[in-house]
Amino acid sequence: MLDLLADLMELDGANKYKTIAVQKAARRMEAANFSVEEATARGGLREIPDIGERIAAKIEEFITTGRLAEIEEYLETYPEDLVRIMRVQGVGPKTARKVWQELGISSLDQLEAAASSGQVASLPGLGKKSEENILQAIERLRARGQRLLLGDVLPVAEESVEILRDIPEARNVSYAGSVRRMRETVKDLDIIATASEPSALTGRFCKLPMVAEIVGSGPTKCSVRTHTGLQVDLRVVPHSQFGSLLQHFTGSKEHNVALRELALTKGLSVSEYGVEETETGKLHECATEKELYRLLGLDYIPPELRENNGEIEAAAAGRLPKLIEYGDLKGDMHIHTNWSEGDVNIAEMARAAKKRGLKYMTVSDHSQSMGMVQGLTPEKVGPQQEEIARVNREMKGFHIFSGVELDVRADGTLDFADEVLALFDFVTVSIHSGFSQTRSRITKRLRNAMENPHVRAIGHPTGRLINKRDPYDVDIGEIIEMAATTGTALEINSHYRRLDLADIHARAAQEAGVKLLINSDAHRPAELDMLRYGIAAARRGWVRRETVLNTLPLPRLKALLNKPKAP
Ligand code: DGT
Ligand code: CA
Ligand code: CA
Ligand code: ZN
């Protein structure tokens, strides 16, 4: 309801800040893992962040009457399907209004038909290129499945496991499936447990406040749907088979199939109950996953690697990589503060980073040309560096580097001149505009950036937002090659909406000898917690500690930054 309202407000050209407030509230409602109806009934809506008086009143109106007068007023002017058109990538409210007013288009199907017949290209301000982009975007929108983001599900997984573990009858509890493999998107949440009394777990689970609906339940099994629309399957299994079942339900399916094929060559057969010797019929139950892998002659394979991408061969040869771990991170080289669009000042971000065990960070506020935000101008660099120096004097055991997240403009030029860039300890370049440029232009922009001796890294290298915005048209192989030859590091942006580089690209970069960064891109202290998702993506990409620059101890990183960059 709030999403629809925000879209209608945008269509109508309403005040931008009011629209943003509604959008923020919509995100809060989407993430609310409790009954909003109950919260409304007990007058608790205002306790939720981003829900002010006006929006609380709207939610109440909707819950008590089932409708919202404001939406109905808008719908007297605009057809509801117009908002679906707005959600096509590259079509904003202006274009949606234009195709509606000029061509009478009010649905996705109509838009697709009009674009296919060349009518869209004939409108003022739109051309052949926009028309093609619209067609492709519609296709992608339709192809996109309804998978959830890991960062929206993992906290629920951890909370559920914690609650179940606290039940006296519980013995082992673990989440499994794609969540345990830390895939960037997941379909559902799978939980495996053992217990002295299985029904104690399933019974309690069905009654959790997060549960909106029970899909199915029995003494050892139950499936529920939460208020956020997540399906959770809990299975309580025999203790002696916990390892086998956890391994089975962790998957991936492809990994399990390959494992079974390998077992057959050894006269064994693997099932969710154990490993059976084909000839004698003897069943080895596995209480731990380690036992199962050992029976097959394999080293233990971490869940993040179980995608049948060479991990079984590597485990057989004793050549699995030693994967990077969260504790290996020593710093964060991409942090925003209130010098651009961050919420808090330098000292506060530094304290938050230090509290999380980091030893250093780079203040990398946006440079001036960033569209909406108040970016850093060359004049502000001096005063900002004075503030950094002051905080550095005050803080013990922590160091702040002076950096910038520099725009490379649509025409390929950098946002600051070389004399300004020379003032910083660490320059990261990112693309924030011109997403629809051709591959050769985007590549040229990134090449310009990487060939500049002051530019140490590329931030969120493909620009994707998972499930929302596709990467700009870029040849990732070429980016990796340029990074290798210029000695420029590539970022794994840890925000779970980005995870950019993606796992497989991080793996390719490491193989090409490129150095990586795992950064939070935090705009407020809580977002430093995103780093765990960056670590997960890196592990899925087989990344070792040595590949990641911000695992270096401070003195070694300082020494490295004192030298010109080199391949
Ligand atoms: P998802 O839920 O699509 O994000 O991905 P998964 O991997 O969690 O898939 P899910 O929930 O359908 O199944 C959980 C695990 O159960 C899966 O990773 C492996 C195992 N599994 C499911 N179906 C099969 C199957 O047909 N054969 C084998 N070997 N394993 C399966
Ligand atoms: Ca699953
Ligand atoms: Ca499942
Ligand atoms: Zn950025």
Side-chain angles (χ1 to χ4, degrees), residues 327-343:
D328 292 330
L329 282 186
K330 298 284 190 301
D332 187 330
M333 303 299 275
H334 188 167
I335 299 270
H336 294 274
T337 72
N338 59 2
W339 283 86
S340 65
E341 53 173 359
D343 280 359

Side-chain angles (χ1 to χ4, degrees), residues 187-188 190 233:
K187 177 193 71 193
D188 61 5
D190 307 283
D233 301 328

Side-chain angles (χ1 to χ4, degrees), residues 477-513:
E478 212 172 327
I479 299 300
I480 289 171
E481 203 180 297
M482 288 192 286
T485 52
T486 58
T488 311
L490 297 179
E491 176 181 76
I492 298 178
N493 191 294
S494 301
H495 200 297
Y496 67 83
R497 296 184 195 283
R498 288 192 185 270
L499 295 177
D500 180 12
L501 294 175
D503 44 21
I504 51 167
H505 296 151
R507 186 172 176 183
Q510 173 175 261
E511 270 163 27

Side-chain angles (χ1 to χ4, degrees), residues 360-512:
Y360 54 84
M361 71 176 207
T362 299
V363 169
S364 56
D365 279 306
H366 288 291
S367 61
Q368 52 194 4
S369 90
M370 258 295 280
M372 325 190 289
V373 293
Q374 292 287 329
L376 203 69
T377 55
E379 297 72 44
K380 287 191 193 159
V381 175
Q384 188 191 42
Q385 292 189 334
E386 278 166 32
E387 186 175 326
I388 290 173
R390 182 172 57 72
V391 180
N392 270 335
R393 280 193 302 273
E394 284 164 9
M395 275 180 91
K396 296 275 165 286
F398 192 82
H399 182 77
I400 305 167
F401 291 104
S402 157
V404 61
E405 183 180 9
L406 184 78
D407 253 6
V408 51
R409 301 189 195 119
D411 65 2
T413 56
L414 297 180
D415 211 12
F416 285 159
D418 280 1
E419 310 85 82
V420 181
L421 293 183
L423 301 172
F424 294 102
D425 301 318
F426 198 86
V427 176
T428 296
V429 163
S430 302
I431 286 186
H432 292 111
S433 60
F435 286 96
S436 54
Q437 287 181 342
T438 60
R439 174 175 290 207
S440 68
R441 287 194 64 188
I442 297 259
T443 308
K444 190 158 158 273
R445 281 165 86 185
L446 289 170
R447 184 186 299 282
N448 277 357
M450 289 199 243
E451 282 174 350
N452 185 301
H454 300 289
V455 175
R456 296 282 181 169
I458 301 295
H460 41 75
T462 77
R464 73 163 177 171
L465 294 175
I466 302 171
N467 274 1
K468 207 158 167 204
R469 183 174 73 202
D470 292 300
Y472 33 75
D473 190 5
V474 67
D475 181 339
I476 193 72
E478 212 172 327
I479 299 300
I480 289 171
E481 203 180 297
M482 288 192 286
T485 52
T486 58
T488 311
L490 297 179
E491 176 181 76
I492 298 178
N493 191 294
S494 301
H495 200 297
Y496 67 83
R497 296 184 195 283
R498 288 192 185 270
L499 295 177
D500 180 12
L501 294 175
D503 44 21
I504 51 167
H505 296 151
R507 186 172 176 183
Q510 173 175 261
E511 270 163 27

